[in-house]
Amino acid sequence: MSPLRSGRAWLDWRRGSAPVGSVYQQSFALEERIVPVLERLAAESFETASFYIRRGNQRLCLFRADSPSPLRMNVRPGDMRPMDDSAIAQVLSAFNDRNPAARADIALPLDTSGITDPHVASLAMPVFGTERRLIGALALSGPSSRLTRERADALKSRLRESADRLSSELEAQL
């Protein structure tokens, strides 16, 4: 059977109608705010910008704007990734509603290199909605040869500003 298109994420309808319906409704509300931010981040940073949400024990790439560089990540909207030690998974774990103590000492944005793939580095920030509830993780990812520690440090303030602005807009909208 063919996948069901939800916003910009491809989802397998066989996983059940409730999760697909939930993501489908959320994606319309989120897409108009998040996608322009991702496109701007990708254009300014020359890295891939993406937005992930947590689905059970995995993370789902909901939206993505590709790096203008031909060398980039091979994750598409709708792809599920493990909840590992990557910056994105750490943000989704630490800032969920069930784990408020885990956020106390976290320096944001989180950045990691070589966790899911030995050649990929990423930065991630939480994005919140009403009542400071985690909506997802805003991330920049790229090859570790290009997204070095120095380059990641230079991009952190831009990612932080984008996530903070997006959280303010979504808090007012949702």
Side-chain angles (χ1 to χ4, degrees), residues 102-113:
R103 10 180 140 164
D105 296 325
I106 296 176
L108 293 171
L110 286 174
D111 65 289
T112 57
S113 183

Side-chain angles (χ1 to χ4, degrees), residues 6-23:
S6 169
R8 293 195 177 175
W10 287 91
L11 302 171
D12 186 342
W13 66 271
R14 293 168 289 194
R15 292 181 194 240
S17 59
V20 171
S22 170
V23 172

